[in-house]
Amino acid sequence: MKQHFFFCCMVAIIAGLSCGSPGTEKTAESASVDSTEKKWWKEAVVYQLYPRSFQDSDGDGVGDIKGITQRLDYLQSLGIHAIWLNPIFTSPNDDNGYDISDYRGIMKEMGTMQDFDSMLAGMHRRGIKLIMDLVLNHSSDEHEWFQQSRSSRTNPYRNYYHWWPAERGTPPKRFSLFDEEANAWRYDSLTNSYYLHYFSRKQPDLNWENPKLRQEIYDMMKFWLEKGVDGFRLDAFPFMSKDTSFPALPAEYNGNYIPYYGKGPYLHDYLQEMNREILSKYDIMTVGEGGVIEFKEVLKFIDEDRKEINTLYHSEHVDSWARRKDDISIYDSTNKDLIALKKLFGKWDSLFARKGWNTVYFGNHDHSRALSRFGNDKPAFREPSAKMLFTFLLTQRATPYLYWGDEIGMSNIRFKTVEEYNDLATRNTYNLLLRESKEKAERYLLSQAELSRDNSRTPMQWNAGPNAGFTSGKPWLAINPNYTTVNVEAAEKDKNSILHFVRSMIKLRDANKDVLVYGKYTLVDDDNPAVYAYTRENKGRKFLVLLNFTDRAAAVNAGFDLGKAKRLLGNYASSSTGNQLQPYEAIVYEL
């Protein structure tokens, strides 16, 4: 049971997965807000940037802030409007920055606060906004708050975390997502107590039930907003609220308790308080990591009337495409049901027909590369399938997130041994399964070649030179061997490259915001198993998007006379005639 649950936790969290007085959750009181109300964060194309892997400026093998600053002209050339920057706060890096030891400091490997200020100023001069990745559910065990908290039971910081005195016996069972023993309680001998950690033992959970802790967080958020950052991505935020009586885990969750963890009793109260205290005072963007939130609960977080956060970063589409068949079986590349995917995206679009706003992405730091998972990274199909995926992302009624490196077609590295992995989740799960069965551990490792988070974290491929131009030292994670042909320098020279196509696609979206951002989305040729087709329509203009998701020619019945349509953009030099699409072909028409 423990191994089964732990793996379910790992899969769920990797796939998408932290007021008023408690108990006084508010309901919407004002009239509905039209979801087409224009906001800069609805129109923005967001570029997620993993700083450890983007550009190293000092030869230590780790990407840093100065490296990002050196590449700002490149980022501006893409046409993006905002950058979501993964954590750069002070951290011992047990989980690559998601274990913060100082919320107001800069990680030594990343640089200095002066470096940060220069980077932010450079972004703003180029019209690029910055979204910081903020971890709210837990800190590092090296944070001063925790060091004080564990020093004595009477310390003023004791209640900043969740403690269970040992004299009360073994704490009620809670499972950890990253712990090798899957136990979320860790005994600490200094005060003869256990502390709670939903993630690794070096990531103790913050006690949001403590008003002083909440105020510390709000003051910290204000610190960064006053510096000029343009918003926050809220990591693991659904886990923030906990029933501190720690009752027995409900049997109905049947071993997978992540949804239970995301239903704390005062979560909405804390978010509404955060909005009143901080978020509402700035013109910013907020996006919450919402993979554990049930679909029926989503609007409670992002309905404008409730005054919580702007958007959620959900993960249902990633979980449903080319996933494992069971807990540890081999990756199933045949599990690609396009009709089901269309229904899923349609469901999410419909949710926001009148209220709230959607987000859309194919890859991020917690998933394998989009090209390898949703497209086809074989040489013959690498470019057309990558362009097809970008066409989809940039024509949806949602804020699109582009993951760094996807614009040149970076793909999975597919490590073969556990020693090659840096990812905490992969290594700990492997070690846990190894205790049970070497065969199970090896099957899991084979599956991780396609699904591990490290696939999306290998360093940026800038050129065909040493270490792909990423560093003059030893890279912190191996570079994909295909960098000699797949790199920015080569893409810049090839006018038909994925890179140039992405720039063109962003320009098309920017030039037609009324249609491609705010326009109505309508699926056509619904039951076509190979082609995803839909219209976007607003203010008397209608666009048709045709996307072949397969490696073979496919027919589409869109119901329009394409001979009279205007071809705005496509990923082949010349489009197929009639209703035929070439492998992975993408076309945008104006009807």
Side-chain angles (χ1 to χ4, degrees), residues 317-572:
H317 63 294
V318 184
D319 298 345
S320 70
W321 190 278
R323 64 191 184 280
R324 299 178 185 89
K325 288 182 179 178
D326 52 54
D327 280 358
I328 57 172
S329 69
I330 305 304
Y331 166 82
D332 180 13
S333 63
T334 67
N335 184 20
K336 296 185 176 182
D337 185 341
L338 183 62
I339 294 176
L341 196 70
K342 288 191 274 190
K343 290 179 179 178
L344 193 154
F345 278 116
K347 178 184 76 171
W348 280 92
D349 180 82
S350 297
L351 181 66
F352 306 111
R354 295 184 63 243
K355 302 183 73 66
W357 190 252
N358 201 8
T359 61
V360 64
Y361 69 97
F362 278 128
N364 63 24
H365 68 292
D366 277 337
H367 299 105
S368 51
R369 280 285 173 183
L371 172 62
S372 300
R373 189 164 188 162
F374 288 91
N376 189 328
D377 60 18
K378 293 178 181 178
F381 301 116
R382 187 180 73 87
E383 292 204 0
S385 70
K387 293 175 183 178
M388 182 273 294
L389 294 177
F390 277 112
T391 304
F392 175 88
L393 290 176
L394 293 162
T395 56
Q396 286 290 295
R397 195 173 73 95
T399 298
Y401 285 76
L402 314 185
Y403 189 63
W404 67 275
D406 284 351
E407 75 273 14
I408 59 169
M410 287 180 64
S411 57
N412 286 351
I413 193 170
R414 300 183 174 97
F415 288 140
K416 292 181 172 58
T417 66
V418 70
E419 290 78 17
E420 293 175 281
Y421 285 98
N422 174 274
D423 180 35
L424 179 71
T426 299
R427 289 187 280 107
N428 283 359
T429 304
Y430 176 84
N431 290 332
L432 179 67
L433 292 170
L434 194 60
R435 297 178 188 178
E436 182 180 350
S437 163
K438 183 176 180 180
E439 187 269 338
K440 282 188 176 181
E442 292 303 317
R443 280 200 290 132
Y444 167 73
L445 197 64
L446 190 58
S447 185
Q448 286 299 93
E450 293 294 342
L451 298 177
S452 174
R453 306 190 297 181
D454 276 347
N455 280 308
S456 64
R457 300 177 181 186
T458 58
M460 182 68 167
Q461 297 164 203
W462 292 103
N463 56 49
N467 296 323
F470 165 69
T471 181
S472 60
K474 181 181 178 180
W476 74 278
L477 189 64
I479 295 172
N480 195 316
N482 69 10
Y483 79 90
T484 55
T485 55
V486 179
N487 59 69
V488 172
E489 188 175 90
E492 291 283 13
K493 294 176 181 178
D494 178 5
K495 296 304 179 183
N496 294 315
S497 69
I498 302 166
L499 177 61
H500 284 290
F501 183 85
V502 170
R503 289 170 174 155
S504 297
M505 199 61 236
I506 293 175
K507 287 179 181 177
L508 180 68
R509 183 178 185 272
D510 282 349
N512 298 279
K513 291 177 182 177
D514 282 343
V515 180
L516 291 180
V517 176
Y518 297 106
K520 179 182 178 182
Y521 164 95
T522 305
L523 187 66
V524 297
D525 202 8
D526 305 29
D527 296 326
N528 192 321
V531 177
Y532 198 152
Y534 51 90
T535 60
R536 300 296 312 282
E537 183 177 7
N538 194 20
K539 297 183 177 179
R541 299 180 70 199
K542 179 181 287 189
F543 289 6
L544 172 66
V545 182
L546 303 179
L547 307 166
N548 183 356
F549 267 75
T550 72
D551 61 1
R552 57 194 180 279
V556 59
N557 181 18
F560 300 100
D561 183 357
L562 300 184
K564 297 180 179 179
K566 178 182 179 182
R567 181 180 185 270
L568 299 178
L569 196 64
N571 63 345
Y572 278 80

Side-chain angles (χ1 to χ4, degrees), residues 105 133 148 150 153 161 163 180 258 264 366 408 462 537:
D133 202 333
Q148 291 287 335
R150 72 188 290 256
R153 293 189 180 186
Y161 297 86
W163 291 95
E180 287 190 13
I258 289 181
D366 277 337
I408 59 169
W462 292 103
E537 183 177 7

